[in-house]
Amino acid sequence: MQVLKKSDPEVYEAVTKEIERERNNIVLIASENYASRSVLETQGSIFSNKYAEGYPDKRYYGGCDYADSVESLAINRAKELFGVEHVNVQPHSGTQANMAVYFALLKPGDKILGMGLSNGGHLSHGAPFNFSGIFYKPYVYGVSKKTGLIDYDNVRKIAKKRKPKIIVAGASSYSRTIDFKAFSEIAKEVKAFFLADIAHIAGLIVAGLHPSPVPYADFITSTTHKTLRGPRGGMIMCGAKYARMIDKMIFPGIQGGPLIHVIAAKAVAFKEALSEKFNSYQIRVVKNAKEMADALTQKGFRVVSGGTDTHLMLIDLTDKSITGRDAQAVLDRAGITVNKNSIPYDDKPATVTSGIRLGTPIVTTRNMREPEMVLIADLISQVLNNPNDSVVIGRVREKVRSLCDKFPVYEDIET
Ligand code: DSN
């Protein structure tokens, strides 16, 4: 980055410090991943310059030949990856993918039924302060207080009472398998559309580690940067009968020029995800998560729902005399990056919380395995049991650094 170094030392410094941060910390944010150098290179390519409103072979600008090539590659690879009839790879984010589906199907004031944010759902599934809860009338379902699992009978009860126009399944902090078939049956019973938002679990679905919603959902949305390990962005999948409606709603409905550099990087990520290596990676992600959940349980932490079937887990800190906010801060000091997270039925506000969410996509990308998960659980336990002891925190920081040195990442990025 010698050109940037000369032209803009301040931004150069932030970028180089971020590289150091990603190399030297154990990052357990469940919704992040470390994309490959090919994905990063493509995202930073000169496709960033190109306007290409429209779709391949139907653009509003000249000079779109190569934009057409990369968008077609992304579409075709995504179709193969998920086994779907139609894919739109232009959504700038998961929220915009959801927005396009809602705008295509609903009128303002129509009813949405989604998983409550405080029970593990997502903002764009009807949170009152999000567009989805402002334009539409949101109703929520959640998890059982006793088991931490989605209560499908209760979902059915709410759906029958409220008669939503759309039911949304998918979550940001739910660690268990989602029964898409059950959701689709409920949606059929109340004549609602069924949207499966697979942002978190897309990579697991590709590898066959989580059941796919493809046979059941009318629409499927996803991000491309979480377990899928691509560039930051979104996508929509649906049957051919909805293709035109969705494409029209993305452009010109809610977006202008597509981010061709990101779409090209999506194509690269989809090719990577079609490989056998990607499947073994996902298998290790889930194994690592189970190992970490078990190790933390053995250390006396309560894992919500008793464990995980996926890449993430939610840790309840209620009995640990530390809030999620303080846990996040002290773990940060020790070089372990997590996010505070509400637990179901949390009595603390979302800015404080009683829990933290942990995920294994990044440490698995760094090739860490089960022994490292046990070690990381031990380091987390040391920090959270001694949050005011700077000697312990310093010692853990050193251990984190040596673990990161043993599992290097982005070594070949030239600064
Ligand atoms: N819900 C965020 C997360 O899972 O981190 C992403 O939108």
Side-chain angles (χ1 to χ4, degrees):
M1 293 191 299
Q2 293 308 303
V3 177
L4 179 66
K5 188 177 183 178
K6 281 207 187 94
S7 68
D8 193 332
E10 286 154 295
V11 171
Y12 170 81
E13 190 190 343
V15 175
T16 48
K17 285 198 166 148
E18 175 63 13
I19 296 169
E20 290 298 307
R21 189 192 68 80
E22 293 195 18
R23 282 178 181 152
N24 298 331
N25 288 275
I26 292 171
V27 180
L28 299 172
I29 307 271
S31 50
E32 294 179 1
N33 213 328
Y34 285 178
S36 70
R37 288 298 311 281
S38 306
V39 166
L40 296 180
E41 256 177 34
T42 312
Q43 214 176 345
S45 72
I46 54 168
F47 270 126
S48 175
N49 296 335
K50 189 68 195 105
Y51 247 119
E53 282 181 358
Y55 290 98
D57 298 323
K58 284 169 273 175
R59 305 282 189 188
Y60 289 83
Y61 293 80
C64 286
D65 294 1
Y66 309 113
D68 283 4
S69 303
V70 289
E71 186 162 350
S72 300
L73 280 169
I75 291 168
N76 292 331
R77 288 173 182 174
K79 280 186 187 172
E80 188 182 343
L81 201 52
F82 290 95
V84 287
E85 289 176 352
H86 182 70
V87 184
N88 187 307
V89 292
Q90 293 195 1
H92 301 330
S93 71
T95 292
Q96 283 196 271
N98 289 338
M99 180 185 268
V101 175
Y102 300 153
F103 276 27
L105 299 176
L106 311 178
K107 291 191 300 299
D110 277 350
K111 298 176 204 164
I112 298 187
L113 176 58
M115 192 164 184
L117 190 60
S118 60
N119 270 224
H122 187 254
L123 276 174
S124 63
H125 297 178
F129 34 78
N130 179 263
F131 83 91
S132 57
I134 294 170
F135 288 179
Y136 307 110
K137 179 112 190 76
Y139 291 99
V140 295
Y141 61 85
V143 296
S144 143
K145 195 168 187 176
K146 200 162 145 220
T147 61
L149 303 176
I150 294 173
D151 180 344
Y152 293 92
D153 290 337
N154 196 40
V155 178
R156 175 175 280 104
K157 222 165 99 188
I158 300 168
K160 285 193 162 161
K161 184 167 173 201
R162 302 300 184 183
K163 304 234 175 324
K165 185 120 186 241
I166 191 167
I167 297 180
V168 188
S172 281
S173 49
Y174 183 66
S175 64
R176 296 303 193 169
T177 298
I178 296 174
D179 189 343
F180 292 124
K181 185 165 181 277
F183 271 109
S184 83
E185 285 165 2
I186 296 167
K188 278 199 187 86
E189 283 170 39
V190 300
K191 297 192 171 39
F193 288 105
F194 173 34
L195 164 63
D197 179 342
I198 60 167
H200 263 269
I201 51 174
L204 275 54
I205 288 172
V206 165
L209 300 171
H210 187 293
S212 168
V214 172
Y216 309 112
D218 299 305
F219 301 91
I220 299 169
T221 54
S222 185
T223 54
T224 48
H225 49 274
K226 297 187 175 89
T227 48
L228 210 43
R229 207 163 59 178
R232 188 159 292 277
M235 64 195 287
I236 305 174
M237 295 170 267
C238 59
K241 66 176 175 177
Y242 295 123
R244 205 173 129 69
M245 178 181 87
I246 286 297
D247 287 354
K248 267 177 67 185
M249 189 46 71
I250 282 289
F251 173 83
I254 64 166
Q255 290 188 177
L259 308 177
I260 293 296
H261 55 307
V262 178
I263 289 171
K266 286 174 184 171
V268 173
F270 295 152
K271 182 173 179 187
E272 290 174 0
L274 282 162
S275 70
E276 200 39 55
K277 231 169 118 186
F278 187 78
N279 288 350
S280 352
Y281 162 69
Q282 297 294 340
I283 291 169
R284 287 208 305 274
V285 166
V286 176
K287 263 195 188 161
N288 279 348
K290 285 181 191 294
E291 193 67 41
M292 190 180 287
D294 285 351
L296 284 164
T297 305
Q298 278 171 30
K299 295 268 171 207
F301 288 87
R302 186 179 93 83
V303 180
V304 173
S305 86
T308 179
D309 303 324
T310 65
H311 61 298
L312 69 81
M313 70 210 73
L314 200 51
I315 309 298
D316 176 2
L317 299 172
T318 310
D319 297 337
K320 292 283 168 190
S321 331
I322 189 165
T323 64
R325 179 184 59 194
D326 292 347
Q328 176 187 311
V330 71
L331 285 167
D332 234 348
R333 282 175 54 209
I336 300 173
T337 313
V338 307
N339 66 279
K340 61 178 171 286
N341 211 107
S342 298
I343 55 164
Y345 305 95
D346 209 324
D347 57 8
K348 296 193 175 65
T351 47
V352 181
T353 82
S354 303
I356 49 173
R357 184 184 63 167
L358 309 176
T360 51
I362 289 177
V363 287
T364 311
T365 292
R366 296 186 79 151
N367 284 319
M368 294 184 194
R369 304 283 174 108
E370 285 89 330
E372 288 75 40
M373 299 307 112
V374 175
L375 173 58
I376 293 169
D378 180 51
L379 298 178
I380 290 173
S381 171
Q382 286 186 45
V383 172
L384 296 187
N385 284 314
N386 303 280
N388 300 313
D389 188 333
S390 36
V391 176
V392 171
I393 293 163
R395 211 167 45 221
V396 170
R397 183 75 192 93
E398 276 167 31
K399 286 192 179 147
V400 164
R401 186 59 198 255
S402 70
L403 186 58
C404 290
D405 289 347
K406 238 171 102 186
F407 293 88
V409 69
Y410 293 144
E411 279 182 299
D412 51 349
I413 292 187
E414 285 164 24
T415 55

